Amino acid sequence: MISADVLQRLADTIESRKGAEPGSSYVASLFVKGHDAVLKKVGEEAVETLLAAKDGDKLHIVRETADLWFHCLVMLAWHGLGPDDVLAELRRRE
C-alpha cells in the first residue's frame, strides 16, 4: 500500500514551486494566472475524471483522478492548506 506520504511530498514540491518563474514550473504558471485559473483546472480535471469513470476504463480513471488530486493539492496550497488538513477531516469523519 502506498502511504499518504506521497501526498505530502507532492504538496511540498508544489509549495516550493509556486513562487518560481512561470516559465520554469507548471505550478508557478498556474499561480501567476491567479485563483480563477487554479479553480478552472480543478473543474476541468473533475469533469475529465467523471467522463473517464463513465467510460469505465480503469487506467484512464486512475490517471484522471491523479490529475484531479494534483490540482486539488495546488488549490489547497493557494489557500495555505495541505493534505494533512484534508486527512484530518477524513479521520474526523471516520
Side-chain angles (χ1 to χ4, degrees):
M1 180 193 293
I2 298 175
S3 73
D5 292 345
V6 69
L7 293 175
Q8 188 57 56
R9 287 192 306 272
L10 190 52
D12 291 344
T13 299
I14 290 167
E15 188 65 32
S16 73
R17 293 187 181 165
K18 69 183 188 181
E21 285 295 317
S24 69
S25 165
Y26 172 71
V27 170
S29 72
L30 271 180
F31 268 82
V32 80
K33 290 176 187 173
H35 191 233
D36 286 348
V38 172
L39 297 178
K40 181 178 178 185
K41 282 305 294 182
V42 172
E44 289 172 5
E45 296 303 338
V47 169
E48 290 173 9
T49 301
L50 294 173
L51 293 173
K54 183 146 178 71
D55 290 343
D57 180 331
K58 291 182 180 186
L59 180 58
H60 193 201
I61 294 167
V62 168
R63 288 180 174 168
E64 291 300 339
T65 301
D67 288 346
L68 176 58
W69 286 13
F70 173 82
H71 286 90
C72 285
L73 288 172
V74 172
M75 178 191 63
L76 288 169
W78 180 277
H79 291 280
L81 299 166
D84 285 343
D85 298 297
V86 177
L87 292 171
E89 176 59 18
L90 289 172
R91 281 186 206 99
R92 187 189 69 78
R93 294 178 185 193
E94 186 179 37

